[in-house]
Amino acid sequence: MHEMSLMAEVLRLVEEDAFERGFMKVDRISIIVGELSNVLPDALELAFCYFQKQECSLISEKTELAIIREEAKARCKECRKEFDPDYRIALCPHCQQLNTEIISGESFQIESYEGSECFEDKNGR
Amino acid sequence: MKIKMDDDVLKDNNIAANFNRTLFKQNQTLVINIMSAPGAGKTTLLEKTVKALAKEFKIAVIEGDLATERDADRLRALGVKTIQINTVGGCHLDAKMIAKTLPEFQLEEIDILFIENIGNLVCPSGYDLGQDYKAVILSVPEGNDKIPKYPLMFRRTDLTIINKTDLLPYVQFDLEEAQRDLRTINPDAAFLALSSQTAEGMEDWINWLKKAHTHAAFSQN
């Protein structure tokens, strides 16, 4: 179970960016979790709830987490057809050749976040 | 205000992995990241490997465990420079942990560095450590269905080693089916079967390492 440390990394990257831009609050975070990423959305949500309750950062109980699921898709390099891979990722169900590539489902990305309440810039920049 | 990021969550790990990779290449050190479930025989295989290669190669090891220096002590007893990383509950090694240990090695003198990852077939597969090759060990008592059950681990490794083949007469393990399953998941992966205990098949592994070392030495930069 590494979702706790992965969620900590998500929040660290978002907060770093938000601090730089002068936001005081983060209202929403959208992340993309691929079906082949070995990351469990439920465990991420649980970890997120834990961090919300820490209240020592830009994240609060009002911050929303949106998880966008990215489907597993593969393409056969022989017949060029796309397919939904089962565990036999390299086996094309159309032509039975063992020469495929994964084209989606491996992502684990921060898509975007929403920040609000900017600092007043005292230097007027 | 919406801010678009499109950042890989593991981007800092990937930066650290590339830093490690550059150092390894500069020093012509072959690095193998060894993964498996707990108890598959990673440390025992390393002990036997060190004994077989000690005359020809300078070897070092990074040991990953949740707790204790036990595995590191086994390798130190053979005169191998070994650094133990204790993750205290963490289920995998990451590239930053590896980077932190590197100042303790004289990489220019090391031909082969083995990284023994935490015993776990899930999380370690997702973290690039900067290695040249990822190897996964599957031991015969675990059953050959581990391959289809953990496809991502076997998909993401360059070499699958079936270990404890001396136990084949006593347990259910279909070696041919294992190889067939592996091909449907990762047809490019190398496949070896051996027993650290009896040394059966060890030669293939040693030869694989020698070839990999030659390749790493010639492909620097």
Side-chain angles (χ1 to χ4, degrees):
Chain A
M1 290 294 287
H2 59 169
E3 280 75 3
M4 198 72 185
S5 62
L6 290 174
M7 188 41 88
E9 191 68 4
V10 168
L11 298 182
R12 192 183 66 79
L13 291 168
V14 167
E15 291 191 340
E16 211 173 83
D17 194 87
F19 270 122
E20 256 173 44
R21 294 174 196 269
F23 294 123
M24 292 176 76
K25 268 168 63 179
V26 171
D27 302 311
R28 187 183 167 89
I29 301 173
S30 298
I31 55 179
I32 300 171
V33 182
E35 287 178 344
L36 299 173
S37 66
N38 259 351
V39 179
L40 293 176
D42 287 354
L44 279 177
E45 276 170 7
L46 194 68
F48 185 70
C49 285
Y50 168 81
F51 287 114
Q52 277 180 315
K53 294 195 169 73
Q54 302 309 301
E55 288 189 0
C56 54
S57 61
L58 306 183
I59 314 296
S60 74
E61 300 215 32
K62 286 183 186 149
T63 309
E64 283 175 48
L65 176 70
I67 295 180
I68 304 157
R69 203 70 169 128
E70 184 188 75
E71 276 182 35
K73 286 265 180 234
R75 184 193 295 133
C76 176
K77 288 188 189 174
E78 305 290 336
C79 71
R80 310 300 302 166
K81 282 184 186 149
E82 286 186 17
F83 63 96
D84 302 335
D86 63 4
Y87 71 90
R88 294 165 298 183
I89 300 167
L91 180 68
C92 173
H94 304 294
C95 71
Q96 312 301 321
Q97 295 288 311
L98 292 169
N99 189 12
T100 66
E101 58 188 337
I102 294 171
I103 52 176
S104 92
E106 292 187 295
S107 303
F108 181 38
Q109 287 183 349
I110 304 168
E111 192 262 338
S112 65
Y113 72 91
E114 283 170 34
S116 62
E117 293 186 18
C118 275
F119 287 114
E120 283 295 321
D121 193 330
K122 285 173 190 153
N123 300 323
R125 274 181 302 181
Chain B
M1 189 173 155
K2 185 168 173 172
I3 308 293
K4 190 94 174 133
M5 282 186 88
D6 288 331
D7 267 342
D8 194 321
V9 176
L10 293 178
K11 71 171 187 176
D12 282 9
N13 185 74
N14 297 337
I15 292 168
N18 285 331
F19 167 84
N20 295 347
R21 190 169 281 115
T22 305
L23 276 184
F24 297 148
K25 284 216 183 301
Q26 277 170 356
N27 291 289
Q28 291 180 274
T29 305
L30 170 68
V31 182
I32 316 278
N33 176 5
I34 299 182
M35 297 171 280
S36 80
K42 294 186 290 300
T43 313
T44 304
L45 180 64
L46 281 182
E47 286 175 319
K48 303 286 164 118
T49 305
V50 164
K51 283 180 189 165
L53 289 174
K55 279 188 187 149
E56 280 178 76
F57 297 95
K58 181 105 171 125
I59 296 172
V61 177
I62 297 174
E63 272 291 340
D65 281 296
L66 274 70
T68 81
E69 298 253 336
R70 285 180 188 208
D71 283 358
D73 287 342
R74 285 168 61 183
L75 290 149
R76 285 174 189 141
L78 302 171
V80 179
K81 170 78 177 177
T82 307
I83 301 293
Q84 177 81 53
I85 298 173
N86 283 146
T87 58
V88 202
C91 52
H92 58 269
L93 295 178
D94 67 38
K96 274 191 217 166
M97 296 178 194
I98 301 301
K100 274 187 204 159
T101 69
L102 296 184
E104 303 200 40
F105 293 104
Q106 300 210 291
L107 280 181
E108 69 276 11
E109 290 176 9
I110 297 171
D111 300 309
I112 307 176
L113 172 67
F114 291 104
I115 302 173
E116 186 183 324
N117 219 310
I118 310 293
N120 176 348
L121 285 175
V122 186
C123 317
S125 75
Y127 290 81
D128 182 7
L129 304 181
Q131 71 285 310
D132 293 289
Y133 297 97
K134 290 182 184 177
V136 57
I137 302 177
L138 170 61
S139 67
V140 161
E142 295 168 59
N144 55 280
D145 56 355
K146 272 264 175 82
I147 296 174
K149 280 179 179 171
Y150 294 83
L152 292 179
M153 170 57 86
F154 292 91
R155 172 82 186 179
R156 291 169 176 166
T157 42
D158 307 291
L159 168 66
T160 292
I161 300 171
I162 308 297
N163 189 22
K164 308 189 190 179
T165 53
D166 51 309
L167 300 178
L168 279 171
Y170 311 107
V171 292
Q172 288 273 329
F173 190 100
D174 187 333
L175 208 51
E176 278 174 25
E177 193 174 83
Q179 195 163 7
R180 240 184 356 255
D181 278 338
L182 181 64
R183 279 181 56 75
T184 64
I185 292 166
N186 186 357
D188 300 326
F191 181 87
L192 298 174
L194 57 85
S195 162
S196 304
Q197 281 304 325
T198 66
E200 182 196 16
M202 276 295 282
E203 230 180 276
D204 296 337
W205 160 237
I206 298 299
N207 288 336
W208 186 92
L209 282 171
K210 285 181 181 175
K211 254 190 217 163
H213 178 260
T214 309
H215 190 261
F218 282 107
S219 67
Q220 59 152 334
N221 303 321

